[in-house]
Amino acid sequence: MTQTAAPHVLQAVLERITYANEETGYTIARVATERSGTDLLTVVGPLLGAQPGESLRLSGRWTSHPRYGKQFEVWSYTTVLPATIQGIERYLGSGLIKGIGPKLAERIVAQFGADTLRIIEEEPARLVEVPKLGPKRTKMIAAAWDEQKAIKEVMLFLQGVGVSTSLAVRIYKQYTDAAIAVVKNEPYRLAADVWGIGFKTADTIAQAVGIPHDSPERVKAGLQYTLSEATDAGHCFLPQPNLVADAVKILEVPAELVRTCLDELAAAEGVVREDVPGPASADGPATIPAVYLVPFHRAETSLANSLLALLNTARDRLPAFQTVEWDKAQAWLAKLTGNELAPEQEQAVRLALTEKVAVLTGGPGCGKSFTVRSVVELARAKRAKIVLAAPTGRAAKRLAELAGHEATTVHRLLQLRPGGDPSYDRDNPLDADLVVVDEASMLDLILANKLVKAVAPGAHLLFVGDVDQLPSVGAGEVLRDLLNADVIPRVRLTRIFRQAQESGVVVNAHRINAGEPPQLRGFGDFFFFGRDQREDEEPAQTAEATARLVVDLVRTRIPQKFGLDPRRDVQVLAPMHRGAAGAGNLNTLLQEALTPGGDGIPERRFGGRVFRVGDKVTQIRNNYEKGAAGVFNGTLGVVTALSAEEQKLTVRTDEDEEIAYAFDELDELTHAYAVTIHRSQGSEYPAVVVPLTTGAWMMLQRNLLYTAVTRARKLVVLVGSLKALAVAVRTLGAGRRWTALDHRLGS
């Protein structure tokens, strides 16, 4: 929009935010001015970063909305300190200053009146004059005030170079007093150093501070960004022609310049180039000129070497199973468990106990869990030291229940320290004779490398997982690569047991995996709600109707019919985040339905999200600094406490650990009433609700739907369009990721 007229300036106090889009920054808010009195005015525009209680100087223009009437369109804003006693009290009590809540704000203002902010700024030691306010709290408040001032300075500078104010806190915390100097002189450092700032944001800043478009610094940063984007998409490397072509599109510079900068980057060891085997051709074996980010090349070569070392060692920490009489062992096991092993299960048990590395795969209802329990029981009978692990807390709990033995997450098993280095590694291996890793399809390259390095020579390592599910969120296809490597012993369970054949969840999961439409009638645990899209109906209308139906099912119908708790037991799994029936919008609707706001209910807004006690949330990045052994991408939890005075909220995770988040760390959390199917990997829920609409066309894939269905323990409800369901069943997933682990293992 072209802003030709001189801007109007409006002084106002932000009372509440009614809507905020954290992707665009567009915000709708209600403000009070001296003239408006008790009547609040509506303002719209980029207000992300502003908090209720702040006094703002808004620059923009008055407009008239055909439905909502007069409102102020904000072009930019700055915060100003309030001048009235009431404004000062509201400002201090809003949670902006750590250590001051509403009650303490009232006492401070009662003591100092209109002079309050000057006292905090110039004579903070005088705060001890406030009743019940000691020296320790006084120092904390003074430090918090100084930090806020510094952050505001960074915010103002960033606003001038077109950066969202919501990033200012992170930039300040990373660089403190050097923040502005780094932003001005080394903007591309931000992409590497500050979580949440990618190349595009750093590039915006770089252009604003005058770095040339064809600067080698910019091109090299762009190459590393392109590779980083590829790893986010699951690739361990990119072929050099693909990398150059992608970088040219992103950077809009000549390919020759990109190739020159890539040569310089490789010479400086900023990337690794290596020819890896590719598809064979008529002329014989082909190679691919692969380009890796350094950590992923190290991890892939290290993982392959570690697996080969485990396979080839002469040591054996389970020597008894080399000479065991298997007929007697099976008879003993059948008497203990009350069930006999099927032939392919028996083969898997033998492999796990006689081979140093083995893989067990298969779909739901095929007996993977009973096979693992049998391996554990036999190893326990020989007094073996057994370790069971899974990538997520929920998967670890389920593994422990099914195997009858304690299990933990891989992260806790390795005791990852701040920075991500494990306590257990090649020099300090785990004291275990048998290590079993469930939900191995979730293992990405980096985590798998850390795990395998920690397995002691001679120990037995068993990977268990369903290779037909989605691959890991992180880079790599570790389970698939292991199954593709001839050197790794493996068993695939294919027989569906009789009891499982009565479950619609199991039967339809296998039908979907085979490319057949699920049976939508005749089962008490598998349902479809919805209809086909009418000829005259837009996909968006169908998606909105689907979203409303999802909310009704989660809030009312499923709890009434099945007695399930809508927050604890029912999980919505969406193919994508965006759109009316995407996880983002569904979270907004489900929060309003299940954890609504109201007078006296504490809440904290961050960007476009509002957090309240009782909210279902998930961690969206690995943070090795939090908790006993870090908190990791995909960890689920519930908000149990929220304190404006201490500026923090507390989350109890699905591993029963209480984790505190400062208000400026809330970008690490998002709501989890609905999550994308990718985020559900490794988790299992009593009931799963899956919205399927043609608006999610690009994500309607067979392995995506298969993964969603196999996350359910008792109930699956598909909601939406029959056409979308049919598309998902017949559409194979995206092609293979660029990995070379199977080749490094000698496949």
Side-chain angles (χ1 to χ4, degrees):
M1 185 198 71
T2 305
Q3 300 164 4
T4 53
H8 187 89
V9 175
L10 181 69
Q11 300 274 143
V13 175
L14 182 59
E15 292 292 332
R16 67 174 179 270
I17 294 173
T18 55
Y19 170 81
N21 185 318
E22 60 185 311
E23 292 178 3
T24 65
Y26 180 79
T27 304
I28 302 173
R30 302 280 279 167
V31 302
T33 67
E34 287 186 11
R35 290 186 180 181
S36 68
T38 57
D39 294 330
L40 300 182
L41 303 176
T42 299
V43 299
V44 298
L47 279 169
L48 279 186
Q51 296 290 341
E54 283 192 294
S55 294
L56 306 176
R57 181 180 289 111
L58 307 169
S59 177
R61 66 171 184 170
W62 288 102
T63 62
S64 182
H65 190 280
R67 182 174 174 186
Y68 300 110
K70 187 178 182 182
Q71 55 190 30
F72 190 79
E73 182 184 314
V74 178
W75 296 345
S76 64
Y77 79 92
T78 56
T79 56
V80 294
L81 295 178
T84 66
I85 287 177
Q86 184 182 10
I88 292 168
E89 187 176 314
R90 175 84 195 277
Y91 176 76
L92 289 179
S94 67
L96 278 167
I97 308 301
K98 191 172 183 179
I100 303 181
K103 291 181 180 177
L104 180 55
E106 191 178 329
R107 297 208 313 270
I108 293 173
V109 174
Q111 179 73 28
F112 299 117
D115 208 24
T116 296
L117 298 183
R118 188 196 66 77
I119 296 290
I120 298 175
E121 170 77 32
E122 299 175 7
E123 303 177 80
R126 286 189 59 193
L127 287 171
V128 294
E129 297 172 21
V130 178
K132 300 181 182 177
L133 187 58
K136 187 176 179 181
R137 178 71 69 85
T138 297
K139 284 182 181 177
M140 184 174 79
I141 291 170
W145 179 267
D146 287 342
E147 183 174 274
Q148 275 299 313
K149 271 173 46 188
I151 290 170
K152 293 292 182 191
E153 185 184 352
V154 174
M155 277 186 176
L156 284 171
F157 175 75
L158 290 175
Q159 277 185 328
V161 293
V163 178
S164 161
T165 55
S166 60
L167 296 174
V169 172
R170 261 178 279 155
I171 291 173
Y172 176 78
K173 283 199 164 184
Q174 178 70 33
Y175 304 115
T176 61
D177 293 341
I180 291 176
V182 170
V183 170
K184 280 182 178 177
N185 303 318
E186 303 174 89
Y188 292 108
R189 269 184 66 188
L190 299 174
D193 295 349
V194 183
W195 181 76
I197 296 183
F199 170 80
K200 289 182 179 178
T201 302
D203 201 32
T204 301
I205 298 170
Q207 289 180 44
V209 299
I211 289 180
H213 188 72
D214 59 355
S215 158
E217 179 191 1
R218 177 177 183 266
V219 176
K220 290 173 188 175
L223 280 162
Q224 291 184 310
Y225 164 74
T226 306
L227 285 171
S228 178
E229 287 284 285
T231 62
D232 286 346
H235 302 293
C236 296
F237 67 84
L238 279 182
Q240 181 165 316
N242 302 40
L243 171 61
V244 171
D246 290 349
V248 165
K249 283 182 193 172
I250 291 166
L251 297 166
E252 297 179 333
V253 296
E256 191 55 44
L257 175 61
V258 172
R259 282 190 283 268
T260 299
C261 288
L262 178 57
D263 290 342
E264 293 174 5
L265 198 57
E269 299 183 354
V271 295
V272 176
R273 291 195 290 197
E274 177 186 358
D275 287 341
V276 300
S281 66
D283 300 325
T287 60
I288 296 170
V291 186
Y292 288 81
L293 288 174
V294 174
F296 294 91
H297 183 265
R298 285 179 182 160
E300 195 175 77
T301 53
S302 170
L303 176 56
N305 291 338
S306 297
L307 286 166
L308 292 171
L310 288 175
L311 275 168
N312 297 326
T313 183
R315 302 184 201 175
D316 193 344
R317 293 183 60 148
L318 293 175
F321 290 101
Q322 299 299 334
T323 56
V324 75
E325 295 183 43
W326 286 103
D327 290 344
K328 289 183 179 178
Q330 282 187 64
W332 175 85
L333 193 60
K335 187 175 180 182
L336 178 71
T337 62
N339 289 290
E340 290 190 2
L341 290 166
E344 55 189 13
Q345 289 178 307
E346 178 192 337
Q347 183 190 358
V349 170
R350 287 196 189 197
L351 275 183
L353 296 171
T354 58
E355 299 284 354
K356 308 294 172 45
V357 181
V359 178
L360 170 62
T361 190
C366 292
K368 290 196 304 295
S369 299
F370 182 66
T371 305
V372 170
R373 184 186 166 194
S374 301
V375 170
V376 170
E377 292 290 2
L378 285 170
R380 188 155 44 197
K382 296 296 184 183
R383 292 185 168 80
K385 295 175 180 176
I386 303 163
V387 165
L388 306 185
T392 68
R394 287 194 172 208
K397 281 184 180 179
R398 177 175 162 273
L399 176 61
E401 291 164 4
L402 295 172
H405 188 280
E406 181 184 355
T408 184
T409 64
V410 176
H411 302 97
R412 286 183 180 273
L413 173 66
L414 299 178
Q415 295 181 14
L416 298 183
R417 299 184 294 255
D421 292 326
S423 298
Y424 291 100
D425 55 18
R426 191 171 284 118
D427 297 326
N428 181 34
L430 296 162
D431 184 16
D433 305 318
L434 171 67
V435 178
V436 179
V437 187
D438 199 10
E439 294 288 356
S441 62
M442 282 190 72
L443 281 179
D444 62 46
L445 175 67
I446 300 294
L447 185 59
N449 178 46
K450 289 177 180 177
L451 170 66
V452 174
K453 280 200 294 189
V455 177
H460 290 230
L461 174 60
L462 174 64
F463 294 100
V464 183
D466 184 347
V467 75
D468 294 319
Q469 287 182 24
L470 290 168
S472 57
V473 174
E477 281 189 293
V478 173
L479 183 61
R480 188 175 297 278
D481 281 345
L482 293 177
L483 288 166
N484 284 344
D486 294 336
V487 71
I488 306 289
R490 87 293 305 268
V491 172
R492 181 164 193 151
L493 305 181
T494 56
R495 172 188 162 192
I496 306 175
F497 287 88
R498 188 179 304 165
Q499 186 177 356
Q501 291 173 5
E502 299 170 6
S503 162
V505 175
V506 171
V507 169
N508 282 329
H510 284 275
R511 287 182 67 86
I512 290 165
N513 198 34
E516 300 171 7
Q519 295 177 4
L520 302 179
R521 299 180 187 278
F523 291 111
D525 63 349
F526 199 102
F527 300 90
F528 176 86
F529 286 85
R531 56 180 170 78
D532 262 336
Q533 188 178 317
R534 298 193 308 267
E535 291 284 339
D536 62 342
E537 192 174 38
E538 292 292 326
Q541 291 175 276
T542 309
E544 288 169 5
T546 297
R548 289 193 296 272
L549 184 50
V550 166
V551 173
D552 185 37
L553 284 160
V554 173
R555 176 179 55 193
T556 307
R557 296 199 207 180
I558 291 174
Q560 285 180 354
K561 183 171 177 62
F562 296 96
L564 298 173
D565 182 276
R567 277 185 294 188
R568 185 183 65 243
D569 300 329
V570 184
Q571 183 63 55
V572 177
L573 302 180
M576 58 194 295
H577 181 78
R578 295 184 179 183
N585 187 52
L586 285 169
N587 268 317
T588 301
L589 299 176
L590 288 164
Q591 183 192 35
E592 199 53 43
L594 302 175
T595 319
D599 291 339
I601 296 176
E603 61 179 39
R604 177 67 179 181
R605 180 173 290 279
F606 190 96
R609 300 190 281 273
V610 180
F611 294 95
R612 302 183 185 115
V613 172
D615 271 339
K616 189 175 183 178
V617 294
T618 184
Q619 177 83 8
I620 58 174
R621 76 162 180 125
N622 291 343
N623 186 331
Y624 298 101
E625 314 293 325
K626 286 194 171 295
V631 183
F632 300 93
N633 190 354
T635 299
L636 284 171
V638 174
V639 178
T640 55
L642 191 155
S643 169
E645 187 169 334
E646 295 182 25
Q647 286 199 320
K648 73 174 184 181
L649 62 73
T650 305
V651 173
R652 175 168 283 278
T653 72
D654 54 9
E655 295 180 59
D656 294 326
E657 185 176 16
E658 295 277 354
I659 304 292
Y661 291 82
F663 283 171
D664 57 24
E665 297 175 318
L666 295 183
D667 53 351
E668 295 187 21
L669 291 177
T670 191
H671 294 99
Y673 301 96
V675 299
T676 60
I677 296 168
H678 279 91
R679 285 200 161 273
S680 72
Q681 291 170 265
S683 294
E684 191 181 59
Y685 317 94
V688 161
V689 178
V690 187
L692 295 169
T693 67
T694 54
W697 196 268
M698 294 296 292
M699 297 302 293
L700 294 176
Q701 297 169 0
R702 187 183 301 168
N703 62 348
L704 199 78
L705 180 57
Y706 174 74
T707 298
V709 168
T710 56
R711 299 305 87 211
R713 196 159 60 240
K714 298 178 182 176
L715 175 69
V716 169
V717 181
L718 306 181
V719 188
S721 156
L722 285 167
K723 182 179 181 181
L725 172 59
V727 170
V729 170
R730 69 170 179 258
T731 305
L732 289 171
R736 286 292 310 275
R737 295 175 168 186
W738 291 113
T739 72
L741 176 62
D742 50 353
H743 299 297
R744 294 182 193 282
L745 289 168
S747 66

